[in-house]
């Protein structure tokens, strides 16, 4: 069916990244490509005893790494960023082959890895603690941030390299070893990243167990969640996964950072620049074939402009060029697998029960490559119910209308998830209300920008069923460290806080 030699291209990328040939070519975990829908070759899954040893080695490496000065740890991440930049094309090849991302998005994902390495290198000289005034004479009060321990990373298929790097680059400068359990759908991407980090570690003389890779399914992730040697479990994926992982980690008083599903909405007000809004929303709703956690799933549009906006979106969805994601000009790649289209069909089938209508899209597209392509769907609903309350990981945009702004805000927030949102308006008061404490309840809230395409400089994550975790920039690094509060007495006498006198 496909004329692209995906297996050959994957092998060439793995070779150029320096992946140990013993790790791929055969094995019980089949690497697949959504482009052809077919298996490429086997990959060696990590047996449980070996996974246990990987975690043990990371735990042992912690003893050395936590005492390595943070700027020296930063030099390892600097080298990692250089290697990623030098191998950008090969990594992007693997992202396109395994996740089906169009070329520009695959390259963008790798660029995000380079960016987070830059950020983490700077951070390695800025892990600031504060000094506070003590209430006692001759005393000083300060806080310090110390390395936390092994960080376990569980990641999803749709960001097969960037999510690891958000965690790994920051965790490494914070003094933490990293053990990664990538999605079973993207093992080749993981092998490529791991090889680059190992090369950087060898060049910088880092302890061998500092980076670990465990290939396998949810059982491998569960083992990481249960292991008391793993201080922080950073888990990215569905809310279903988070409901299992969060309590497991909490049961042993471990720390978790959950980055789960979204159900992201954009409000379009009557004063909005409609061309700007539509262009931005087409990327948010149909980009990555609707398979981003930040994909736009709901549009809340003022009733006076609803028909015009729907017509523009429908025309844009119809025009999106679908096909080989490696090819120039293609904007619509495949769904990850046929099950994703099944979930999309089921959601669209429930639209009539919710009193709505499918305006366009949802049908399979035969692009002649063998994988699962679909036309993004646009659905009008009379009220927010049924399929609009859940995250279907496929390109469906539900359109709801509003009359007054309070109603729009209420609809925006009336879903269980809380990842990303946006408003298009030229009314400054509306924009400010959207950003106010009574406005959007999401972790990411944008003005004249739709829901997807965050930059690494800000903290990334969301509230409610999205899990509450924050990764990437701002002060997200604090999740990867432990804080100590220190009181230093240089007065030579015992002075108790709050005026307590304990003199006999
Ligand atoms: P998924 O939940 O099926 O799998 C994610 C990862 O969790 C995989 O590595 C999987 O093996 C592992 N896993 C699954 N169940 C587990 C369990 N019970 N215990 C331990 N590990 C388990 O998700 P997916 O289909 O790969 O990715 C799509 C989902 O991820 C969507 O819901 C999307 O919104 C979400 N996502 C969220 C973010 C974010 O930052 N908030 C980013 C990307 C993707």
């Amino acid at each position: 069916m496909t004329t692209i030699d995906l297996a050959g291209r994957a092998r060439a990328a793995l070779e150029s990244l320096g992946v140990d040939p013993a790790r791929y070519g055969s094995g019980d975990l089949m690497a697949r490509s959504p482009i052809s829908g077919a298996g490429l070759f086997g990959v060696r899954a990590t047996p449980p005893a070996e996974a246990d040893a990987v975690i043990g080695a990371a735990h042992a490496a912690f003893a050395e790494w936590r005492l390595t000065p943070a700027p020296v740890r930063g030099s390892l991440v600097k080298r990692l960023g250089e290697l990623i930049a030098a191998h950008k094309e090969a990594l992007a090849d693997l992202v396109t082959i395994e996740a089906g991302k169009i070329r520009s998005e695959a390259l963008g994902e790798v660029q995000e890895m380079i960016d987070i390495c830059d950020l983490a290198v700077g951070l390695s000289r800025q892990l600031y603690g504060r000094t506070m005034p003590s209430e006692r004479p001759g005393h000083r009060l300060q806080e310090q941030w110390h390395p936390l321990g092994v960080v376990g990373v569980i990641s999803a298929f749709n960001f097969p390299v960037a999510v690891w790097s958000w965690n790994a680059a920051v965790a490494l400068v914070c003094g933490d070893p990293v053990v990664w359990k990538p999605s079973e759908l993207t093992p080749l991407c993981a092998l490529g990243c791991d090889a680059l980090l190992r090369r950087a570690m060898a060049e910088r003389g880092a302890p061998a167990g500092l980076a670990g890779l465990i290939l396998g399914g949810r059982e491998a992730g569960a083992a990481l969640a249960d292991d008391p040697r793993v201080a922080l479990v950073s888990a990215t994926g569905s809310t279903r996964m988070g409901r299992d992982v969060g309590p497991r980690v909490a049961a042993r008083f471990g720390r978790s950072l959950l980055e789960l599903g979204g159900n992201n909405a954009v409000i379009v007000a009557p004063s909005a620049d409609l061309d700007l809004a539509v262009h931005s929303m087409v990327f948010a709703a149909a980009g990555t074939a609707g398979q981003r956690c930040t994909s736009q799933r709901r549009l809340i549009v003022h009733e006076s402009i609803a028909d015009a906006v729907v017509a523009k979106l429908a025309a844009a969805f119809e025009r999106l060029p679908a096909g080989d994601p490696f090819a120039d000009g293609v904007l619509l790649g495949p769904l990850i697998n046929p099950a994703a289209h099944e979930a999309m069909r089921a959601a669209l089938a429930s639209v009539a029960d919710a009193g709505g209508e499918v305006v366009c899209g949802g049908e399979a597209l035969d692009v002649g490559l063998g994988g699962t392509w679909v036309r993004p769907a646009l659905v009008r609903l009379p009220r927010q119910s049924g399929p609009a309350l859940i995250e279907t990981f496929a390109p469906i945009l539900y359109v709801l209308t509003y009359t007054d702004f309070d109603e729009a805000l209420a609809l925006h927030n009336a879903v269980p998830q809380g990842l990303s949102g946006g408003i298009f308006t030229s009314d400054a008061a509306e924009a400010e209300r959207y950003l106010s404490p009574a406005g959007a309840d999401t972790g990411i809230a944008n003005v004249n920008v739709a829901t997807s395409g965050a930059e690494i400089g800000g903290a990334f994550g969301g509230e409610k069923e999205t899990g509450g975790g924050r990764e990437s920039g701002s002060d997200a690094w604090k999740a990867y460290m432990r804080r100590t509060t220190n009181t230093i007495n240089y007065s030579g006498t015992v002075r108790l806080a709050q005026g307590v006198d304990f003199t006999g």
Side-chain angles (χ1 to χ4, degrees):
M1 176 91 67
T2 170
T3 52
I4 316 167
D5 177 13
L6 294 167
R9 197 157 177 170
R11 281 177 191 278
L14 291 167
E15 203 174 309
S16 80
L17 288 161
V19 177
D20 177 358
R23 304 201 74 170
Y24 65 93
S26 64
D28 36 4
L29 184 63
M30 180 56 74
R32 316 186 75 84
S33 176
I35 301 173
S36 62
L40 303 174
F41 43 78
V43 174
R44 196 176 159 273
T46 312
E50 198 176 308
D52 187 69
V54 167
I55 297 172
H59 195 247
F62 180 54
E64 179 181 337
W65 194 240
R66 68 182 170 187
L67 294 176
T68 305
V72 176
R73 302 193 297 243
S75 80
L76 169 68
V77 174
K78 182 164 189 278
R79 184 64 188 135
L80 174 64
E82 288 166 0
L83 289 172
I84 294 169
H87 293 83
K88 190 173 181 181
E89 297 282 328
L91 276 178
D93 275 5
L94 293 178
V95 172
T96 296
I97 291 167
E98 285 196 307
K101 289 195 182 184
I102 62 168
R103 195 71 190 147
S104 149
E105 288 190 58
L107 287 166
E109 184 172 346
V110 182
Q111 184 58 45
E112 203 167 349
M113 303 175 79
I114 300 165
D115 295 345
I116 193 73
C117 287
D118 282 353
L119 182 135
V121 174
L123 193 59
S124 71
R125 291 182 185 270
Q126 300 176 72
L127 301 171
Y128 302 133
R130 286 187 290 198
T131 299
M132 289 75 80
S134 169
E135 66 187 52
R136 288 171 272 184
H139 285 60
R140 192 165 63 78
L141 203 53
Q142 69 174 24
E143 60 186 17
Q144 296 186 82
W145 291 91
H146 291 310
L148 181 67
V150 175
V151 173
V153 178
I154 297 173
S155 60
F157 81 84
N158 66 323
F159 274 92
V161 294
V163 165
W164 167 76
S165 69
W166 295 353
N167 284 283
V170 173
L172 288 170
V173 300
C174 288
D176 304 329
V178 180
V179 177
W180 184 17
K181 205 304 281 177
S183 167
E184 52 275 47
L185 301 176
T186 56
L188 304 184
C189 287
L191 285 170
C193 295
D194 181 65
L196 293 184
L197 177 52
R198 275 174 199 290
R199 187 167 147 196
M201 281 163 49
E203 290 178 14
R204 290 289 179 272
L210 190 61
L213 179 63
I214 295 174
L215 296 180
R218 65 173 56 188
E219 309 72 35
L224 206 52
D226 288 339
D227 198 308
R229 294 169 297 180
V230 180
L232 169 70
V233 177
S234 174
T236 300
S238 58
T239 294
R240 181 177 32 77
M241 177 276 287
R243 270 191 221 291
D244 187 24
V245 168
R248 274 173 184 264
V249 179
R252 61 173 176 86
F253 295 100
R255 212 187 267 185
S256 60
L257 193 169
L258 300 177
E259 297 279 355
L260 310 175
N263 185 0
N264 315 297
V266 170
I267 297 172
V268 180
S271 63
D273 175 335
L274 291 193
D275 288 335
L276 179 83
V278 168
H279 187 168
S280 188
M281 291 194 294
V282 170
F283 172 64
T288 331
Q291 299 169 110
R292 286 190 184 218
C293 51
T294 51
S295 287
Q296 185 186 341
R297 315 230 172 257
R298 296 175 295 134
L299 161 61
I300 301 161
V301 56
H302 192 267
E303 58 187 3
S304 63
I305 52 169
D307 289 345
V309 173
V310 166
K312 281 174 189 275
L313 283 170
F317 281 9
E318 290 296 338
R319 274 198 310 268
L320 276 180
D324 172 8
F326 279 112
D328 287 344
V330 165
L331 297 180
L332 192 60
L335 291 182
I336 189 69
N337 50 33
H341 194 195
E342 271 316 303
M344 183 176 183
R345 277 205 195 93
L348 293 177
S350 70
V351 164
D353 286 347
E357 102 179 271
V358 179
V359 177
C360 67
E363 68 274 16
L365 299 172
D366 183 2
V367 303
L369 295 171
T372 305
W373 268 257
V374 289
R375 180 65 59 198
L378 200 55
V379 172
R380 289 191 84 150
L381 287 177
R383 70 196 76 82
Q384 188 157 269
S385 63
L389 298 176
I390 56 172
E391 180 198 49
T392 301
F393 217 56
I396 308 176
L397 182 58
Y398 297 103
V399 183
L400 301 149
T401 58
Y402 75 91
T403 310
D404 70 79
F405 191 65
D406 286 335
E407 189 190 350
L409 272 181
L411 282 169
H412 183 282
N413 293 343
V415 291
Q417 311 81 358
L419 180 52
S420 181
I423 184 169
F424 285 85
T425 183
S426 300
D427 179 332
E430 266 180 1
E432 289 296 337
R433 284 188 64 198
Y434 180 75
L435 300 176
S436 77
D441 67 358
T442 45
I444 296 164
N446 300 327
V447 173
N448 293 328
V449 172
T451 54
S452 68
E455 300 177 21
I456 55 93
F460 181 92
E463 306 302 334
K464 303 191 293 187
E465 288 190 3
T466 303
R470 291 295 185 279
E471 282 174 351
S472 228
S474 186
D475 65 351
W477 59 271
K478 291 179 178 172
Y480 301 81
M481 303 200 83
R482 67 180 171 88
R483 182 198 319 236
T484 66
T485 301
N486 317 131
T487 307
I488 301 112
N489 176 5
Y490 59 92
S491 72
T493 55
V494 174
R495 293 174 192 273
L496 301 177
Q498 294 89 41
V500 173
D501 185 359
F502 206 66
T503 315

